[in-house]
Every structure is written in structure tokens, then in C-alpha cells.
Amino acid sequence: MARHPQRDLYESTLVEIGRITTTWAKFEHWVDVAIWYLADVEDRRGACITTQLGSIHAKFRALEALMVEAGRPEPILKIIRGIAGEAAEVVKTRNKFAHGPLDMDVNKETREFEVYLKHISVRGKGVLTLESEVLTKSELESAQAKVAGVYQKLIKHWHEIIDIPSAEELAQ
């Protein structure tokens, strides 16, 4: 049975959104694991704590405080502050895709199916945003690159964050 082009477009969009949100979940998980490690608690007890930290901002504040308590050197603290700042921006991108409802419609000019992402928010002094925009493949790719980039920075420095030898040091 032939697949419908609109279903292929919708499903491929869902796959890309899944990639964005799953990569972000891995990123947050490794922040959590660093917190557990530095707090010297086993995973289950640590998870009891970090699941209650509802924002990436709170997780990074806890991580930095634990790093300071552990006597981690200033250069890695500076790197963590940079990653935290980047994460504060990237989480907005992640949230856009994780919480933005999708619609699908036919573009009346091109007669092609398009996927639309709704933006619904209230910012500032009660200013409501309620709009839909076409969701493009390049926008999805850009979002994934941002999320993957901050995740890779964290993993690159993870051994320094928790003060264990790097893979290269262990191989010597």
C-alpha cells in the first residue's frame, strides 16, 4: 500500500522533533549525573533530588555550587558557566519544539502539504503570542545542531567537571 505524502512529511517532522527533545533529555541527564556524583549520592537518591529541579537553570546552579564545594578549579567553573549560559538559550529552542502543537495544511499557492508549528505564549505585561509558522527542515536541523552542540560541550568537559581521568588519560 502506498504511503501518503502528507503522512511521510508529518512523520518525518515528528522524528526530527524527537531527535531534538531526546538529545536535550540526554544533556539534562548528564547534568543530573554530575550532580549525583559531586553530591556523593547513589543514582536513585540523586534522582529523588534532581527530578525536583524543574529548570536547567536550577540544575546548573546546583552543579556549580557542588563544583565549588568540591574545589574544582576556576577554568572548569568558567567553562560550566559558559555552558549554563548557552543552555539557557538553547532550552528555549528545545521548548519551542517540545511544547509547540503541530498542525498540517495545504499551502493554497503551491498545493503542497506543510507542517505548521504553533507558538502560544504570554510574555511581559500580558502580551499574548498566538501564531503559526511553516516548520522547515532547515529550522529543525538548526535546532538539532544547537541542542547537540551544547550536549557535546558538556560531554567534552564532563571528566573535568567531576574530576575523573579523561578517556585519553586512562588509555596511557
Side-chain angles (χ1 to χ4, degrees), residues 9-84:
L9 175 62
Y10 193 75
E11 287 178 4
S12 66
T13 300
L14 292 176
V15 166
E16 293 308 312
I17 290 172
R19 192 177 329 275
I20 292 163
T21 57
T22 300
T23 303
W24 182 264
K26 289 189 311 185
F27 170 73
E28 279 200 64
H29 174 71
W30 283 106
V31 173
D32 289 351
V33 172
I35 291 169
W36 307 340
Y37 188 92
L38 290 168
D40 197 22
V41 296
E42 58 91 18
D43 295 358
R44 293 185 63 82
R45 288 180 185 219
C48 290
I49 298 165
T50 55
T51 58
Q52 302 310 304
L53 300 175
S55 72
I56 197 63
H57 313 288
K59 289 181 183 209
F60 270 101
R61 284 192 303 270
L63 177 59
E64 184 178 350
L66 287 164
M67 290 174 67
V68 168
E69 285 297 308
R72 303 303 303 125
E74 186 58 37
I76 189 59
L77 288 168
K78 185 176 180 183
I79 288 169
I80 272 304
R81 290 178 194 121
I83 293 171

Side-chain angles (χ1 to χ4, degrees), residues 74-138:
E74 186 58 37
I76 189 59
L77 288 168
K78 185 176 180 183
I79 288 169
I80 272 304
R81 290 178 194 121
I83 293 171
E86 185 176 347
E89 290 302 312
V90 174
V91 72
K92 295 173 190 173
T93 300
R94 177 263 181 202
N95 288 348
K96 173 181 172 178
F97 293 102
H99 301 293
L102 294 180
D103 284 330
M104 191 160 190
D105 203 353
V106 175
N107 180 314
K108 291 168 184 44
E109 292 176 19
T110 65
R111 299 183 164 273
E112 297 286 327
F113 284 101
E114 294 178 328
V115 175
Y116 295 84
L117 182 65
K118 282 200 178 281
H119 300 283
I120 305 169
S121 65
V122 176
R123 296 206 197 300
K125 298 181 184 208
V127 177
L128 173 69
T129 299
L130 178 58
E131 57 192 19
S132 293
E133 68 177 36
V134 175
L135 185 55
T136 65
K137 182 177 178 164
S138 66

